Amino acid sequence: RPAPAHKSMPKARGGKARLGVESNDTCCLICLDPQPQSALFSAALPPGSAGPSSAAAGCGHVACAECMQSYLQSALPAGAQQWSAPGPPCFDAPGGCIGRISGDLAAALLSPQHDDTDNATVAAPDADAATDATVTATAAAAAAADAADAAAFADLAATDLECRGFASLPVSAAASEAAARAFAAARLAFDGLEAGPPPLGGRTTDSANASGLHRAGALSSYNACREGFVFSNGDSYGVDGVPEFEPATIALLSAASAAARSLFAALERQMQLPAGWFEACFGPLADHSQWHLKRYCPEAAPPHATTADGRRVMLPVHSDPSLLSLVLHDAPGRQPGGLGLECMVGGAAGGAAAAWEPVAEHGHGVATVLVGALLDRITGGRYRAARHRVVAEPSAHASAARVAATFFFRPAPAALLRRAPAPPPRGGGAR
């Protein structure tokens, strides 16, 4: 399968643009005129809501006051003079949106006292309610935009996963902050390893379900050059002298799980599967997965384990026993290269010869996504498992500084592996 052409990635919120729209240009989705955010109103209620506007993220469709007033007036039921709860459907309902506009906001915008010269406020007696609704609408629109960004990033990553078996996934600002906190706590914990707990802290030594600390060389040959902390099946624990370790690692698992859910949702869209198919078939993935927070020890690399060009191999070539794996590296933001993480490309029958390709980026702000052997199996090879390795960088400092968090999202132990259903034929009808 040919590699995709280069795509322009949408930038995360807080950057310069989102999905091709300049950061200072927010358009009314009815008249399409650019407006300041303070002049826009949103269908802020989530689908199914019937009460006043809340902090829950809604559809995020926004319109200027003039267009919103025109829509609300035209949508009034016959004989009605004003809106009340639950409020009208979003103005983009013909396009498939199932969000709603707050009844309070609708009533305020159609109030005779509404001042058209200041779209951000509503005069008494409903000024406070309208202001609260506007603030809520703005927050809801921002949350919906964040969700749209995450979905767009995941869709692009899913395309790369199908073509190459690995991809880069920009993560949210909250996930990046969670990674920074967890890595900072881990480095403090690493500093105390010499006087730390025994290997695995007295917990199970079954590598598939282990939780706790291990030293370099423990559990399997894959750990010859790395040591650190293992968390299985939703487990968490603390480290003496580092009180922030447990809450920081719990937060990082939560952030990584959210990123994984967006990826599985993108795969479901790409494969035309029902929403939630992966977790319906294989169980809550975060509850049954394993993740590692480890540092690398290049000095422990076996002298005979070298690449063709003489670099030392710190993690031998393999594919992961997961559906998807996510890797985050300890470095600020998004940095070029993968600190020695390489994936095999090519090698398919009739294609280019196999070669090793360095991962494009690393850091708190970007995850490397790897197709696991289980996703390869259940899709009949549509998504090929990523064969990867870690080699020592030319800079000894870079190799010694490599600290990574790797998340293996896998099915519940009792889950029955099943092939993903084929997409329906084009145009419908029986096959």
Side-chain angles (χ1 to χ4, degrees):
R1 192 184 302 272
H6 174 73
K7 300 178 287 294
S8 177
M9 294 287 284
K11 298 179 182 178
R13 289 183 64 82
K16 297 299 182 185
R18 183 179 68 82
L19 302 181
V21 179
E22 293 302 317
S23 61
N24 293 327
D25 295 338
T26 304
C27 295
C28 167
L29 296 183
I30 298 178
C31 67
L32 301 183
D33 287 341
Q35 303 277 353
Q37 286 194 357
S38 61
L40 293 170
F41 294 88
S42 170
L45 291 178
S49 291
S53 182
S54 70
C59 63
H61 292 133
V62 293
C64 65
E66 182 177 355
C67 290
M68 186 72 90
Q69 288 170 322
S70 297
Y71 165 72
L72 293 171
Q73 189 68 49
S74 67
L76 274 171
Q81 299 297 316
Q82 187 54 282
W83 282 103
S84 59
C90 172
F91 52 81
D92 196 41
C97 181
I98 56 174
R100 281 193 173 275
I101 298 171
S102 161
D104 289 344
L105 178 59
L109 283 170
L110 292 186
S111 169
Q113 290 82 23
H114 183 267
D115 180 5
D116 288 332
T117 64
D118 182 4
N119 293 330
T121 60
V122 179
D126 296 322
D128 290 343
T131 300
D132 290 345
T134 302
V135 172
T136 301
T138 301
D146 283 337
D149 282 348
F153 287 134
D155 285 337
L156 290 173
T159 299
D160 284 341
L161 292 176
E162 183 177 15
C163 294
R164 296 161 61 81
F166 63 98
S168 292
L169 177 72
V171 301
S172 68
S176 179
E177 291 168 3
R181 291 194 300 272
F183 281 123
R187 288 191 181 274
L188 290 174
F190 290 143
D191 289 343
L193 278 185
E194 295 308 317
L200 296 177
R203 298 167 185 260
T204 175
T205 55
D206 168 15
S207 61
N209 297 290
S211 288
L213 166 69
H214 78 76
R215 307 288 184 158
L219 298 177
S220 78
S221 60
Y222 291 106
N223 292 317
C225 301
R226 58 183 185 168
E227 62 185 7
F229 302 93
V230 181
F231 308 82
S232 293
N233 306 319
D235 200 4
S236 66
Y237 50 86
V239 172
D240 289 345
V242 189
E244 60 270 37
F245 182 88
E246 185 167 14
T249 52
I250 290 173
L252 181 55
L253 174 60
S254 177
S257 298
R261 283 192 292 271
S262 72
L263 283 165
F264 283 112
L267 292 175
E268 289 160 354
R269 291 190 291 271
Q270 192 174 68
M271 300 167 66
Q272 299 182 49
L273 297 173
W277 182 86
F278 279 96
E279 291 202 306
C281 291
F282 303 123
L285 298 173
D287 293 347
H288 305 291
S289 295
Q290 185 179 86
W291 71 285
H292 305 166
L293 186 50
K294 298 182 179 180
R295 66 177 179 184
Y296 278 70
C297 310
E299 69 280 358
H304 62 275
T306 59
T307 64
D309 56 3
R311 291 176 297 164
R312 303 183 79 176
V313 176
M314 297 195 293
L315 181 63
V317 58
H318 66 288
S319 57
D320 292 337
S322 61
L323 292 163
L324 288 178
S325 301
L326 271 66
V327 184
L328 284 163
H329 291 91
D330 187 17
R334 295 167 61 176
Q335 307 289 333
L339 291 181
L341 177 58
E342 299 179 336
C343 293
M344 184 178 288
V345 295
W356 288 103
E357 181 176 310
V359 168
E361 293 183 278
H362 72 278
H364 302 155
V366 60
T368 298
V369 187
L370 305 170
V371 171
L374 296 181
L375 184 60
D376 187 325
R377 176 66 63 88
I378 68 170
T379 61
R382 174 175 175 176
Y383 299 86
R384 297 181 61 187
R387 293 180 62 77
H388 55 285
R389 68 184 184 185
V390 175
V391 298
E393 292 281 89
S395 165
H397 172 73
S399 295
R402 189 177 197 274
V403 176
T406 307
F407 301 83
F408 305 95
F409 291 98
R410 60 191 185 182
L416 177 66
L417 287 184
R418 63 186 71 183
R419 288 286 295 269
R426 292 184 182 275
R431 294 179 70 89

